[in-house]
Amino acid sequence: MRASRSVEQIRDALRALQARDLPSHGGRTLAYVYDSGLAEADAIGLEALSMFAGSNGLDPTAFPSLLAMENHLVGVASSVLRAPDSVVGSATSGGTESVLLAVLAARDGSGRRVGDASMVIPTTAHAAFHKAAHYFGVEVIMIDVDPVTFRADPGAMADAIREDTVLIVGSAPSYAHGVIDPIPEIAAIAADRGLRCHVDACIGGWVLPFLDDVPPWTFAVPGVTSISIDLHKYAYTPKGVSLLLHRDSSLRKGHFFASADWPGYTMLNSTMQSTKSGGPLAAAWAVGQWIGVEGYGALAVRARGAALEIARRAPGIPGVRLLVAPDSTLVTLTTDDSCDVFTIADEMLSRGWYVQPQMAYAGAPASLHLTLSAATAESVDEFVAALAEATQAARAAGPVSVDSGLAAAAVALDPETLSDNDFDGLLALAGLADGDGALDLPERMAPVNALLDVAPPRLREALLLAFLDRLSRPTAH
């Protein structure tokens, strides 16, 4: 068979496409990606990813190698998380799937069904819990966090528990602010009420165990029934692979699925996926073997050091404030009235750094989220210098403003009743499209982010969903 394009042509096309993306290595993209800075670890991970890309995790009897690697990874995580001998775990495609399954297991394990269950979460819990609620018909009861520390309020969470509550949640740490919730108090409430307590450690679970003076949050805390921990974050493995661990096998049954009610093979799944490539799992096993537990300890300390150094030095830049002291490797910065985080983000991108803007929420100001990887540690001086330049430029420009009439119009809109034409008008209003709905992305996102920042959350969701819909259209071929 004659190929329609040569291998080299395809490689060139792939390189051209990749050049449009944020860099995944080099430690300058401070969200979405994690870089150990270890070329050998990257190489063995990619080799394993390729070797097992065609393997299928659907049937562990057909591909026992995947089962062996999964059980080994769960065993290592169990040790790191100080789990009892009864612990069990499953590998998933990422933190969101781990959270979805934790919620599903809690709902079904309680004997409740769609529309007949609730969970109590702090407002800082990851959006994946809202996704789980949407998918599985579990009502979310959100509780405000402390306005200074941004940690969950156990007393308020206890007061919010209802007869239909099946789960309460804490983060180690929270994504938006990088602080650890008071897990012992939350878990004690859960145990006292006979409820499950899930700790979302997706972003901190492979860092916190290697750091000193960390508040307790692992299975060593009585009442913690499940923990999610991502390997494609600080285990520095190719995406996507996460682990969901339960204190014992009875707690996991709710997210297992079997179906023999058709003429084909009996479908048997431990996660939401049926067919799933063995590549990410094998890559996680291989990278973990290469780095080892001691190596992860060194990488965690290195990334934590970078976070502490930036947290110490950034507030010395006129206009910049540290929102809260970080507990892990995540730093959250905000500004005074002389400038805004959205303009700083644009200025940082122009200097080769990606920092993630976060909208204002529940009294907390708009902020910049920084995820520090081990690879960033050697570039802290360069980062701080770039941040100082970017902030100086933002101060010179002044805070980005949103026309008061435009803001009032946006706030008055009801996203539930808007038509597609209305959405096209909203996208144009936000500077994301022209009047005909054709996408028209500006080079600088600060004006768009400022408008989104004043929009109520539901309208912001509707606007961005419409934007995603317009992005996801077939190209000519």
Side-chain angles (χ1 to χ4, degrees):
M1 179 178 176
R2 185 173 180 273
S4 60
R5 301 180 75 179
S6 71
V7 170
E8 194 53 45
Q9 286 175 324
I10 295 169
R11 287 197 184 108
D12 288 343
L14 288 171
R15 293 188 190 103
L17 288 168
Q18 190 177 52
R20 300 160 60 184
D21 297 342
L22 292 170
S24 58
H25 289 80
R28 298 173 71 94
T29 302
L30 304 189
Y32 305 126
V33 298
Y34 303 80
D35 183 9
S36 68
L38 302 174
E40 295 91 342
D42 292 341
I44 191 61
L46 292 177
E47 185 176 342
L49 189 71
S50 176
M51 284 179 63
F52 286 83
S55 301
N56 192 341
L58 172 62
D59 186 346
T61 65
F63 297 94
S65 62
L66 301 181
L67 179 63
M69 288 186 281
E70 180 177 28
N71 284 337
H72 182 267
L73 286 168
V74 171
V76 174
S78 299
S79 176
V80 168
L81 300 179
R82 301 183 63 188
D85 292 341
S86 59
V87 75
V88 296
S90 299
T92 75
S93 63
T96 293
E97 187 181 9
S98 289
V99 166
L100 290 174
L101 293 174
V103 173
L104 178 61
R107 189 201 71 180
D108 284 9
S110 71
R112 295 186 176 274
R113 292 295 179 263
V114 174
D116 187 33
S118 68
M119 58 179 164
V120 177
I121 69 173
T123 53
T124 51
H126 196 278
F129 289 96
H130 297 271
K131 188 173 186 177
H134 176 70
Y135 281 5
F136 303 137
V138 177
E139 183 182 348
V140 173
I141 303 172
M142 287 198 298
I143 306 302
D144 289 336
V145 297
D146 184 283
V148 176
T149 68
F150 295 96
R151 291 180 173 84
D153 181 343
M157 293 179 74
D159 291 343
I161 292 172
R162 305 189 314 213
E163 183 181 349
D164 65 356
T165 299
V166 298
L167 179 70
I168 60 177
V169 171
S171 303
S174 60
Y175 180 87
H177 303 116
V179 296
I180 301 172
D181 287 329
I183 301 302
E185 291 89 337
I186 294 172
I189 293 166
D192 182 62
R193 304 290 185 92
L195 301 173
R196 299 191 188 202
C197 172
H198 180 75
V199 176
D200 174 17
C202 287
I203 202 165
W206 218 258
V207 169
L208 296 174
F210 306 110
L211 304 179
D212 297 328
D213 302 322
V214 172
W217 61 275
T218 65
F219 281 111
V221 176
V224 170
T225 56
S226 59
I227 298 177
S228 50
I229 175 172
D230 287 1
L231 302 181
H232 61 217
K233 289 188 171 73
Y234 285 102
Y236 297 111
T237 74
K239 298 182 183 301
V241 58
S242 172
L243 299 175
L244 172 61
L245 277 65
H246 294 275
R247 186 173 285 273
D248 63 59
S249 60
S250 67
L251 298 171
R252 181 172 62 173
K253 291 179 180 178
H255 74 68
F256 275 13
F257 177 80
S259 178
D261 198 15
W262 75 305
Y265 65 93
T266 298
M267 180 180 283
L268 184 65
N269 303 143
S270 62
T271 64
M272 295 183 71
Q273 298 181 90
S274 291
T275 290
K276 53 184 176 182
S277 170
L281 180 65
W285 184 88
V287 172
Q289 290 289 295
W290 195 92
I291 295 177
V293 173
E294 289 187 6
Y296 280 121
L299 291 172
V301 170
R302 187 170 170 79
R304 170 66 170 164
L308 290 176
E309 186 68 3
I310 290 173
R312 181 182 69 83
R313 294 171 60 180
I317 299 170
V320 175
R321 292 194 303 110
L322 179 68
L323 191 62
V324 63
D327 285 338
S328 183
T329 54
L330 313 179
V331 178
T332 308
L333 303 175
T334 188
T335 65
D336 61 20
D337 293 337
S338 66
C339 57
D340 66 273
V341 296
F342 307 125
T343 302
I344 293 176
D346 283 346
E347 292 290 339
M348 287 295 286
L349 189 60
S350 72
R351 290 164 173 79
W353 293 90
Y354 177 81
V355 293
Q356 186 177 55
Q358 299 182 140
M359 307 299 170
Y361 182 80
S367 59
L368 293 175
H369 170 95
L370 315 178
T371 296
L372 283 307
S373 296
T376 312
E378 64 186 26
S379 303
V380 168
D381 288 345
E382 187 181 349
F383 174 84
V384 173
L387 182 62
E389 292 178 3
T391 305
Q392 184 179 20
R395 283 161 60 87
V400 64
S401 61
V402 178
D403 178 82
S404 59
L406 188 62
V411 170
L413 293 170
D414 180 1
E416 300 296 331
T417 61
L418 295 177
S419 66
D420 281 347
N421 288 336
D422 293 328
F423 277 130
D424 289 335
L426 274 176
L427 290 174
L429 191 71
L432 296 174
D434 62 26
D436 297 323
L439 293 181
D440 184 23
L441 290 177
E443 290 186 8
R444 297 179 67 87
M445 291 297 295
V448 175
N449 283 327
L451 178 59
L452 292 172
D453 191 47
V454 301
R458 297 290 84 79
L459 178 61
R460 190 187 307 157
E461 291 169 358
L463 193 64
L464 292 175
L465 284 171
F467 175 62
L468 179 62
D469 174 66
R470 271 56 168 190
L471 278 177
S472 307
R473 299 293 172 89
T475 55
H477 61 282

